[in-house]
Amino acid sequence: MTAYPGFGALLAKLSVHRKLDSSALARQSGVPEPELRGVLDGAAPSPSLLRQLAPALDLHAADVFVIAGAAVPDDLAPLDPEAGPWVPGVVRCAGRLTPEKRGELRHLVHSLPQEKPAQRPPQKPSFRRLEGTPPGPPGATLVRMLILRNLHWTGMAKTFLVLTGRYWAASTYGMVGAGRKELTPDLVADFGTVLDIPAGDLATLTGIALPEILQARRPATTGMAELIWDLRRLTADQVRHIGEVAASMGPA
């Protein structure tokens, strides 16, 4: 198994892929260039630097923390892990809606107040075991990004089926995350669709070469990855409500 490179090396590769030199990246992110050069040379990035890099890289800040192998701050993590099982149902129903109705659904999500989740038993270790751990194999990083979207193994399988038309067994995601199954170009491209990250970026981060046809792949149903991201800061009751609304908005 090829060792996963450090964050500085990954950041350098992604910057080259984006045609950004260190001066341009420093300027766009607001990070002092000497500090950025230190990270590129192997220094540990600070949480504030990771947050600053996110918009310059056109990535969610939480994903940048994952790429760096850093613990994700609470304000960037899913609010209520118990909401996860409800997410695929929302995705399934929303996928049947017109773009206009899907926009209405996202507007409803944004309008909901931030609530505290109900007191529930601690999460199962299998759900969060990959968060805040060393990067490990490239697949672990991609699976962590899905965990940050409140998807566990079964939720990943159901969501990939809706958004990509391809079914991978739930156990596949567990094996990819643990490094027991190698990533394939098709699987990397599918991750790009669900994560709303260009497949070329994921190819750069994982070292998996993708043919041009896969790099150019676009999701058939627009707005779905954004909806999944929006749901992550809602409680289980709120996500269940959104699912009911989505079902009522669809064809009879």
Side-chain angles (χ1 to χ4, degrees):
M1 180 74 66
T2 302
Y4 194 69
F7 179 63
L10 286 176
L11 181 58
K13 290 180 180 180
L14 189 56
S15 298
V16 170
H17 175 70
R18 297 285 189 84
K19 297 180 171 58
L20 290 171
D21 58 23
S22 59
S23 296
L25 183 57
R27 185 169 57 254
Q28 292 187 23
S29 64
V31 175
E33 189 167 355
E35 183 181 0
L36 180 61
R37 286 187 178 277
V39 171
L40 290 170
D41 289 340
S46 67
S48 60
L49 180 143
L50 295 176
R51 289 179 186 266
Q52 287 176 272
L53 283 176
L57 296 173
D58 195 25
L59 292 169
H60 294 296
D63 289 336
V64 178
F65 274 82
V66 170
I67 294 169
V72 178
D74 287 345
D75 67 305
L76 300 179
L79 178 70
D80 184 0
E82 295 298 323
W86 298 99
V87 173
V90 176
V91 172
R92 183 180 64 255
C93 293
R96 300 168 181 162
L97 303 179
T98 63
E100 292 75 19
K101 287 187 176 181
R102 204 173 301 127
E104 293 175 14
L105 189 67
R106 289 191 66 200
H107 179 75
L108 174 60
V109 171
H110 293 162
S111 73
L112 294 178
Q114 183 80 84
E115 297 180 353
K116 290 185 178 181
Q119 291 294 324
R120 293 181 173 91
Q123 303 168 53
K124 296 180 180 178
S126 61
F127 182 78
R128 293 183 67 105
R129 64 184 175 185
L130 295 175
E131 274 198 85
T133 60
T141 294
L142 302 189
V143 171
R144 286 191 192 103
M145 290 179 178
L146 290 176
I147 289 174
L148 283 176
R149 285 149 176 81
N150 226 348
L151 294 171
H152 50 71
W153 314 147
T154 300
M156 293 175 197
K158 292 178 178 178
T159 301
F160 270 59
L161 178 60
V162 172
L163 298 191
T164 72
R166 197 193 314 269
Y167 180 76
W168 305 88
S171 60
T172 297
Y173 299 95
M175 291 189 291
V176 167
R180 296 196 300 272
K181 178 177 175 58
E182 296 286 350
L183 286 169
T184 64
D186 278 338
L187 191 51
V188 171
D190 285 354
F191 269 98
T193 296
V194 177
L195 294 170
D196 192 29
I197 297 176
D201 286 2
L202 295 187
T204 299
L205 292 171
T206 61
I208 305 296
L210 302 184
E212 289 187 9
I213 190 171
L214 290 181
Q215 293 202 37
R217 181 188 292 176
R218 295 290 183 270
T221 308
T222 59
M224 296 299 293
E226 295 89 341
L227 176 61
I228 293 170
W229 183 260
D230 295 341
L231 294 173
R232 55 195 288 282
R233 295 299 292 175
L234 299 183
T235 65
D237 290 341
Q238 289 175 318
V239 176
R240 183 169 61 247
H241 170 66
I242 292 297
E244 293 169 350
V245 172
S248 70
M249 295 171 70

